[in-house]
């Protein structure tokens, strides 16, 4: 493939299915069982298809999974609340994700798998229920925590923002979990315009 030919990494994820059927705020037992079954079956098929691919292919169990209606979650106040059982449901799905992928064999027994907190928001990492990975042996943890970060910044505090993001991952890093910034960009806070070149320079300075 193009990615393999150019020595690139590929992350296969389940993107925005939460707006259709992948709801972690489902309380009805029948609906929740349906969600888990469908989630398991999808990852079983995906994992089986890619099981002989090398380590340049990674899987991400969900994207920016949210509770309730997607648009409502991203309202400033709403994204700071959590409906009951959502984190527990996410934890249950992530454990199912890990177990399902590992069970397909091949290179999936040692493939790196990404999980994200609610909304993939950095400060929500502390609320995550981390899955156990039976294949993480020999001191190698093959689970990576993924976050997304889109923020406005002033030049003088850009370094602080990057350092803060990495600091949020501290407790999980001590347990051997890696950190992936799967999406990210900065806007200049003074002009509200895209400033990707400057944010990239800042990232390289503070990592």
């Amino acid at each position: 493939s193009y990615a393999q030919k150019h020595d690139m990494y590929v992350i296969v994820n389940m993107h925005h299915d939460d707006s259709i059927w992948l709801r972690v705020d489902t309380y009805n037992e029948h609906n929740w069982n349906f969600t888990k079954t469908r989630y398991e079956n999808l990852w079983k098929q995906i994992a089986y298809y890619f099981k002989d691919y090398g380590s340049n292919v990674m899987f991400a169990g969900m994207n920016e999974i949210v509770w309730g209606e997607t648009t409502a979650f991203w309202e400033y106040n709403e994204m700071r609340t959590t409906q009951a059982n959502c984190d527990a449901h996410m934890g249950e799905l992530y454990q199912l994700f890990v177990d399902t992928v590992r069970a397909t064999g091949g290179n999936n027994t040692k493939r790196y798998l990404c999980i994200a907190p609610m909304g993939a928001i950095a400060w929500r990492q502390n609320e995550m229920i981390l899955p156990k990975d039976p294949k993480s042996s020999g001191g190698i943890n093959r689970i990576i925590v993924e976050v997304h970060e889109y923020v406005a910044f002033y030049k003088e505090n850009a370094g602080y923002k990057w350092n803060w993001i990495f600091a949020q991952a501290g407790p999980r890093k001590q347990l051997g979990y890696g950190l992936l910034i799967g999406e990210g960009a900065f806007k200049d806070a003074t002009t509200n315009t895209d400033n990707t070149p400057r944010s990239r320079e800042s990232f390289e300075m503070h990592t």
Side-chain angles (χ1 to χ4, degrees):
S1 69
Y2 180 89
Q4 290 175 309
K5 181 180 178 180
H6 292 83
D7 196 27
M8 299 170 66
Y9 282 84
V10 174
I11 300 176
V12 179
N13 77 357
M14 195 167 289
H15 209 87
H16 287 316
D17 285 65
D18 55 299
S19 62
I20 305 172
W21 64 272
L22 186 56
R23 297 287 293 268
V24 295
D25 60 340
T26 301
Y27 299 111
N28 180 278
E29 184 177 353
H30 172 75
N31 289 341
W32 181 236
N33 288 335
F34 167 80
T35 297
K36 290 190 294 183
T37 300
R38 189 172 189 177
Y39 184 79
E40 178 183 12
N41 288 339
L42 281 169
W43 273 113
K44 187 179 296 182
Q45 294 175 68
I46 295 168
Y48 186 81
Y49 181 87
F50 287 103
K51 72 174 186 175
D52 294 325
Y53 280 67
S55 59
N56 66 311
V57 175
M58 298 186 290
F59 297 153
M62 305 179 207
N63 179 49
E64 295 175 350
I65 195 73
V66 302
W67 58 258
E69 296 298 326
T70 304
T71 302
F73 175 85
W74 293 112
E75 295 296 328
Y76 182 84
N77 291 324
E78 293 300 323
M79 65 189 293
R80 282 159 174 73
T81 66
T82 301
Q83 288 191 354
N85 300 325
C86 285
D87 289 309
H89 282 166
M90 285 184 67
E92 191 173 347
L93 288 178
Y94 277 135
Q95 188 62 63
L96 185 60
F97 165 61
V98 172
D99 293 342
T100 300
V101 170
R102 296 295 186 229
T104 59
N107 288 332
N108 287 335
T109 62
K110 56 184 179 181
R111 192 173 308 285
Y112 280 92
L113 305 177
C114 303
I115 61 175
M118 182 75 68
I121 300 171
W123 55 262
R124 282 192 177 271
Q125 292 177 72
N126 294 326
E127 303 168 357
M128 296 182 69
I129 299 175
L130 300 171
K132 296 179 181 180
D133 186 1
K135 297 299 181 180
S136 289
S137 59
I140 300 177
N141 190 331
R142 300 183 187 278
I143 303 295
I144 299 174
V145 176
E146 177 183 0
V147 298
H148 302 166
E149 193 65 45
Y150 294 91
V151 295
F153 82 112
Y154 295 92
K155 185 175 182 180
E156 58 270 20
N157 73 0
Y160 162 79
K161 187 62 181 181
W162 284 122
N163 291 336
W164 177 86
I165 293 172
F166 287 114
Q168 299 300 304
R172 280 144 300 284
K173 184 177 180 180
Q174 293 177 0
L175 296 174
Y177 292 85
L179 173 68
L180 169 69
I181 301 180
E183 297 180 20
F186 282 110
K187 287 187 175 182
D188 192 312
T190 58
T191 63
N192 196 34
T193 57
D194 178 66
N195 212 329
T196 300
R198 187 194 295 179
S199 66
R200 183 166 55 246
E201 293 172 4
S202 174
F203 176 80
E204 292 171 351
M205 289 174 56
H206 295 92
T207 56

